[in-house]
Amino acid sequence: MDNYHRKRILITGGAGFLGSHLSERLLKEGNEILCLDNFFTGTKENIAHLMDDHNFELIRHDVEFPIHLEVDEIYNLACPASPPHYQHNPIHTNKTSVLGAINMLGLAKRNNAKIMQASTSEVYGDPHVHPQTEDYWGNVNPIGIRSCYDEGKRCAETLFFDYHRQHNLKIKVARIFNTYGPNMHPNDGRVVSNFILQALRGEDITIYGDGSQSRSFCYVDELIDGFIRLMASGDDFTGPVNLGNPVEFTIKELAEKVIEMTNSKSKLTLKPLPQDDPKQRQPDITLAKKELSWEPKIKLEEGLKSTIKYFEKFL
Ligand code: NAD
Ligand code: UDP
């Protein structure tokens, strides 16, 4: 692709789990990538293999603060995603979501760029509607320990739609459900990385609560495909759109699957359930199927295989 037609794409949180996969994919497709990160949960190792590509540029920056760049598209992913990380400094988490959205929307407005927000199934909170559809407004505690993330992401969605209505900005909002795969931080604290590492090390598998709560797990490559389809969709399609794999598992089922696949001798141990931990979560993806022709096909066993292989290097 020549320089004139090459798109310059900004990925905030580009050194994180999802951001590093998105950077790699968009770079392969012939784009110029500006990867912006403050390295709170992201790592240089995640993007080390991209550094020699002259179409890849790394910017250390915190999205809480404005930045001036020339870009055609923005994927706004910057925000810690695992509960232990986003609860570590809740005020910063909220500022990252809200001020980060304001700064990136301002940047998009100046550039007349299209912008996608990495929103989350957490906007549904502990849902009373199951599976969750995009028209459900959610059941979110505004003052709990998860609120810095949930309410920050909800406010970011509000800002996206206000910029769209007030300034005609081209926006896309993806509500991402639990996603897993290589490049997850080993100390991330999320369930898939925790269980795999515990199983590989022969340590007890820590089930919070009785393990009957459910989640639906999407393999990273398929989620990234959803992002790209969403960004490429017509300007009149803003979302919000659920992106996730609708096949639901209990946390106990996940633990048993990981033990089986790693041939581990680990035992299950029960720990207290964290406050406001959602009891069930499953995306209704009718809208993504219709508007983006997107539907995940990779089964949990298949995705876990490559994820387990990735975590073996941390032993
Ligand atoms: P991650 O923690 O691996 O990546 C987040 C990245 O953002 C990291 O590289 C981190 O250093 C960077 N970051 C954090 N605060 C920043 C700031 N103030 N300025 C600049 N960079 C900052 O998490 P992830 O799983 O890759 O998640 C990416 C996005 O997707 C997040 O916005 C998250 O809320 C959203 N999301 C992810 C999932 C999932 O299952 N992975 C589910 C729902 C939503
Ligand atoms: N969980 C667990 N053991 C762990 C980590 C998480 O039982 O070591 C549970 C957690 O309580 C939640 C589910 O697994 O019910 C998913 O947790 P995660 O932090 O991955 O993401 P969430 O969907 O809660 O944001």
Side-chain angles (χ1 to χ4, degrees), residues 274-293:
Q275 188 197 329
D276 296 335
D277 198 287
K279 283 181 261 324
Q280 52 182 2
R281 193 182 283 156
Q282 184 194 29
D284 180 315
I285 59 163
T286 310
L287 186 64
K289 278 193 212 165
K290 177 169 169 272
E291 295 291 338
L292 311 175
S293 307

Side-chain angles (χ1 to χ4, degrees), residues 50-76:
L50 308 177
M51 295 294 282
D52 286 341
D53 193 316
H54 63 278
N55 285 318
F56 182 81
E57 227 173 297
L58 180 61
I59 307 165
R60 180 188 278 268
H61 181 78
D62 190 316
V63 292
E64 259 192 48
F65 303 97
I67 188 165
H68 290 264
L69 297 165
E70 283 181 14
V71 292
D72 302 304
E73 287 178 357
I74 304 173
Y75 288 84
N76 187 36

Side-chain angles (χ1 to χ4, degrees), residues 8-300:
R8 187 177 298 153
I9 304 177
L10 172 65
I11 303 175
T12 75
F17 163 45
L18 298 180
S20 56
H21 285 275
L22 182 62
S23 296
E24 183 176 327
R25 168 85 185 261
L26 289 172
L27 202 56
K28 256 190 207 145
E29 289 182 0
N31 303 290
E32 197 178 327
I33 302 302
L34 301 186
C35 169
L36 182 154
D37 211 292
N38 71 346
F39 299 109
F40 176 52
T41 51
T43 64
K44 289 191 184 150
E45 288 76 64
N46 279 348
I47 44 159
H49 61 299
L50 308 177
M51 295 294 282
D52 286 341
D53 193 316
H54 63 278
N55 285 318
F56 182 81
E57 227 173 297
L58 180 61
I59 307 165
R60 180 188 278 268
H61 181 78
D62 190 316
V63 292
E64 259 192 48
F65 303 97
I67 188 165
H68 290 264
L69 297 165
E70 283 181 14
V71 292
D72 302 304
E73 287 178 357
I74 304 173
Y75 288 84
N76 187 36
L77 270 57
C79 187
S82 87
H85 281 148
Y86 71 63
Q87 286 162 20
H88 171 73
N89 186 343
I91 296 169
H92 189 45
T93 299
N94 210 311
K95 283 184 174 174
T96 292
S97 275
V98 178
L99 298 178
I102 290 171
N103 290 327
M104 290 308 122
L105 286 161
L107 183 65
K109 182 168 166 256
R110 276 195 300 280
N111 281 281
N112 194 23
K114 228 193 279 185
I115 179 166
M116 191 204 89
Q117 167 69 354
S119 191
T120 168
S121 52
E122 287 288 316
V123 299
Y124 302 123
D126 192 5
H128 292 148
V129 168
H130 193 75
Q132 292 79 57
T133 42
E134 289 86 352
D135 56 4
Y136 176 49
W137 290 356
N139 173 39
V140 177
N141 177 357
I143 55 167
I145 56 170
R146 293 177 85 102
S147 313
C148 60
Y149 183 76
D150 300 9
E151 296 289 19
K153 290 283 189 180
R154 285 169 68 96
C155 183
E157 285 201 11
T158 308
L159 284 159
F160 267 67
F161 278 86
D162 283 334
Y163 267 78
H164 176 64
R165 282 185 288 258
Q166 206 171 323
H167 298 300
N168 235 344
L169 202 69
K170 290 174 223 135
I171 62 153
K172 308 281 175 189
V173 174
R175 289 188 179 153
I176 307 164
F177 284 65
N178 298 63
T179 302
Y180 69 100
N183 294 7
M184 291 183 94
H185 198 291
N187 300 324
D188 188 84
R190 278 184 272 194
V191 69
V192 174
S193 43
N194 268 12
F195 284 5
I196 292 178
L197 278 170
Q198 288 162 345
L200 289 174
R201 290 172 176 155
E203 296 166 1
D204 285 351
I205 306 276
T206 54
I207 302 234
Y208 303 160
D210 61 5
S212 63
Q213 71 271 36
S214 71
R215 295 294 187 272
S216 309
F217 300 99
C218 184
Y219 188 64
V220 61
D221 290 354
E222 298 197 302
L223 183 83
I224 299 303
D225 190 53
F227 281 3
I228 289 168
R229 282 169 190 255
L230 176 57
M231 192 59 112
S233 62
D235 288 349
D236 54 342
F237 184 65
T238 57
V241 60
N242 290 338
L243 293 180
N245 189 323
V247 183
E248 189 180 355
F249 293 88
T250 67
I251 293 305
K252 186 153 178 274
E253 284 169 340
L254 174 72
E256 284 160 352
K257 205 167 270 298
V258 169
I259 289 178
E260 182 194 312
M261 288 184 65
T262 50
N263 281 322
S264 174
K265 296 199 165 43
S266 293
K267 301 270 174 293
L268 306 185
T269 176
L270 303 186
K271 300 267 183 192
L273 189 68
Q275 188 197 329
D276 296 335
D277 198 287
K279 283 181 261 324
Q280 52 182 2
R281 193 182 283 156
Q282 184 194 29
D284 180 315
I285 59 163
T286 310
L287 186 64
K289 278 193 212 165
K290 177 169 169 272
E291 295 291 338
L292 311 175
S293 307
W294 180 84
E295 185 177 9
K297 305 231 160 40
I298 298 179
K299 290 201 165 61
L300 185 61

